[in-house]
Amino acid sequence: MVLLVQAVQHVLAHLALRQVHVVVLTLTVVAANQAIPVSADALSHTQRVSAFLHLQIQQAGGWLPFSTWMHHVLYAPGLGYYAAGNTKLAETPNTSTTALSGDFVTAPQLTPLFGQTLARQVSEILRQTDTLDVLEFGAGSGALAHDLLSALHAEGLNVRYNILEVSGDLRQRQQQRLAAWGDRVSWLETLPTHFAGCVVGNELLDAMPVELFAWSDQGEVLERGVVSSDSGFAFLDKPASPKLADAVRSRMPALPGYTSEVNLQAEAWIRDLGRWLTRGAALLIDYGFPRHEYYHPQRQRGTLMCHIQHRTHDDVFLAPGLQDITAHVDFTAIADAAQQSGLDVLGYTSQARFLLNTGLPQLLETYAQQQLEHPDPKDRAQTYAAVQKLISEAEMGELFKVIVLGRGIQVPLSGFSQSDRTGQLDAQRAPPV
């Protein structure tokens, strides 16, 4: 891994780009009591969201499971973070936080090289399945769709690109960005009943509502819920249901005072994927860990994170409706759910290794040659800063993982030709077909 990262860095040095100042996206921790500047309209919106949440708590008898509360905060029609019209994703791939709108930046927005590299793996899956169908869940700004369509078209694959998007404003942005592709891009309203081809999900699983749990001093599993309080909202623990308690006990030993999450909704989504994916593979990219790292004793406060105005913090009750709330992914649970539904685990590795395996260094060389012919210092600086962010172990390279699940696909896929980590999941790797 280190050698390949150094190889990419050597490309930069070889092209005499050492003088380029690399600017990386920095995130500032936000305490719950720190004022976040928002507009009058945004303030009014979060007040409406809060009133709605208090009503939901009241109607539920004074206590809501955190997963239900998180669902309302993110997806309540017209109010939730992903269902209202606030800008979520940055408008440009600029790596300076001072110039960014929205709340966060995803990998496809950093550089087209990300999508171009993924396209090589998508192409391999499509050729194996003899299909031209791609289905992306949660397509964000449409940047990844555009880059995949462009790269696949250059390979002679005129794919049919389908998108399932729950956010109305993001869907509108996607339609504007992808208008030039005409009827080759379609938006779905519901899950397909059957699908053959390649499924793509970038930062999909982390946005699904999670169950919060805590271990009591007596070694009992408690479910963490939300109640109304004088200051707004507060946590309150209750004895966990048998289903949640069994799920927690099967994943970790009792650790009094330990709190974390279980993403039962993501696991259900994977099992459903096994029902409608008849042939092909799902390529899922997200931040997370295998189970033994996810529930490490030192990770005693869990992984919940909030994103607002390019700052991250862990106060889920701050500005409801104005901030994203996410949790890291337990990739062992995802692999287990896949196998329970009859899907094969085709590979699992870090984002850095996956990108390097699928040809990022070669694409970077091609880009460098183009820069020699048509220099653009600003784009060059942004591109190399983005590549460094994508593959650096201190940035996205190690925290983000890639897992591919499917059926009827020969292994190894190119993205896992070296340093496949499926064994870390305690999941059985798919046998060669």
Side-chain angles (χ1 to χ4, degrees), residues 150-361:
S150 300
L152 293 169
H153 179 76
E155 287 192 39
L157 296 175
N158 296 320
V159 301
R160 295 178 291 270
Y161 206 97
N162 303 281
I163 296 174
L164 203 158
E165 178 61 64
V166 299
S167 170
D169 68 300
L170 287 178
R171 177 169 176 162
Q172 185 177 24
R173 286 180 64 181
Q174 295 158 15
Q175 290 171 337
Q176 293 172 349
R177 182 159 195 165
L178 303 173
W181 294 99
D183 59 5
R184 286 177 55 187
V185 182
S186 301
W187 281 262
L188 306 182
E189 299 295 336
T190 59
L191 284 170
T193 56
H194 61 275
F195 180 83
C198 185
V199 176
V200 177
N202 182 60
E203 296 195 45
L204 168 69
L205 302 174
D206 67 77
M208 295 185 182
V210 296
E211 314 292 334
L212 280 189
F213 70 87
W215 284 99
S216 73
D217 292 340
Q218 293 72 38
E220 297 299 321
V221 180
L222 304 175
E223 180 174 5
R224 182 152 290 183
V226 181
V227 297
S228 297
S229 70
D230 292 340
S231 60
F233 304 97
F235 287 125
L236 180 65
D237 296 342
K238 290 187 174 184
S241 67
K243 178 181 179 181
L244 178 58
D246 289 345
V248 173
R249 292 183 184 282
S250 69
R251 296 165 198 234
M252 66 172 296
L255 294 175
Y258 191 99
T259 64
S260 193
E261 319 87 23
V262 173
N263 198 334
L264 298 178
Q265 182 170 323
E267 295 168 35
W269 188 89
I270 294 294
R271 286 191 290 270
D272 198 38
L273 171 70
R275 176 186 59 80
W276 54 261
L277 181 62
T278 56
R279 189 174 79 260
L283 196 164
L284 304 174
I285 307 160
D286 228 313
Y287 42 87
F289 315 100
R291 180 166 296 161
H292 67 275
E293 294 181 26
Y294 196 104
Y295 297 113
H296 192 281
Q298 293 182 349
R299 191 167 282 113
Q300 59 186 353
R301 295 182 60 186
T303 70
L304 279 179
M305 292 198 312
C306 305
H307 305 266
I308 182 170
Q309 297 181 18
H310 300 278
R311 301 172 175 90
T312 60
H313 63 96
D314 62 1
D315 183 359
V316 296
F317 299 139
L318 180 68
L322 299 186
Q323 65 175 1
D324 192 16
I325 303 175
T326 71
H328 288 43
V329 176
D330 172 3
F331 281 101
T332 300
I334 297 304
D336 287 346
Q339 292 178 331
Q340 290 166 11
S341 67
L343 295 174
D344 296 321
V345 179
L346 302 172
Y348 167 75
T349 193
S350 68
Q351 175 177 285
R353 172 59 64 176
F354 179 85
L355 294 175
L356 294 168
N357 283 345
T358 46
L360 178 59

Side-chain angles (χ1 to χ4, degrees), residues 57-225:
I57 292 171
Q58 179 184 358
Q59 292 178 343
W63 184 89
L64 274 182
F66 180 78
S67 58
T68 303
W69 190 89
M70 182 174 173
H71 172 81
H72 289 318
V73 168
L74 297 180
Y75 302 109
L79 293 173
Y81 180 78
Y82 284 103
N86 52 309
T87 301
K88 302 152 189 67
L89 291 146
E91 297 288 348
T92 71
N94 193 317
T95 54
S96 170
T97 58
T98 59
L100 291 172
S101 60
D103 297 312
F104 53 86
V105 175
T106 60
Q109 294 173 279
L110 292 174
T111 171
L113 290 174
F114 179 80
Q116 293 168 15
T117 307
L118 258 62
R120 294 188 169 196
Q121 187 65 90
V122 174
S123 172
E124 186 178 351
I125 293 168
L126 293 178
R127 294 182 190 281
Q128 281 204 40
T129 57
D130 193 27
T131 65
L132 292 172
D133 291 295
V134 177
L135 171 56
E136 183 180 2
F137 284 83
S141 67
L144 181 57
H146 173 76
D147 295 337
L148 286 175
L149 282 161
S150 300
L152 293 169
H153 179 76
E155 287 192 39
L157 296 175
N158 296 320
V159 301
R160 295 178 291 270
Y161 206 97
N162 303 281
I163 296 174
L164 203 158
E165 178 61 64
V166 299
S167 170
D169 68 300
L170 287 178
R171 177 169 176 162
Q172 185 177 24
R173 286 180 64 181
Q174 295 158 15
Q175 290 171 337
Q176 293 172 349
R177 182 159 195 165
L178 303 173
W181 294 99
D183 59 5
R184 286 177 55 187
V185 182
S186 301
W187 281 262
L188 306 182
E189 299 295 336
T190 59
L191 284 170
T193 56
H194 61 275
F195 180 83
C198 185
V199 176
V200 177
N202 182 60
E203 296 195 45
L204 168 69
L205 302 174
D206 67 77
M208 295 185 182
V210 296
E211 314 292 334
L212 280 189
F213 70 87
W215 284 99
S216 73
D217 292 340
Q218 293 72 38
E220 297 299 321
V221 180
L222 304 175
E223 180 174 5
R224 182 152 290 183

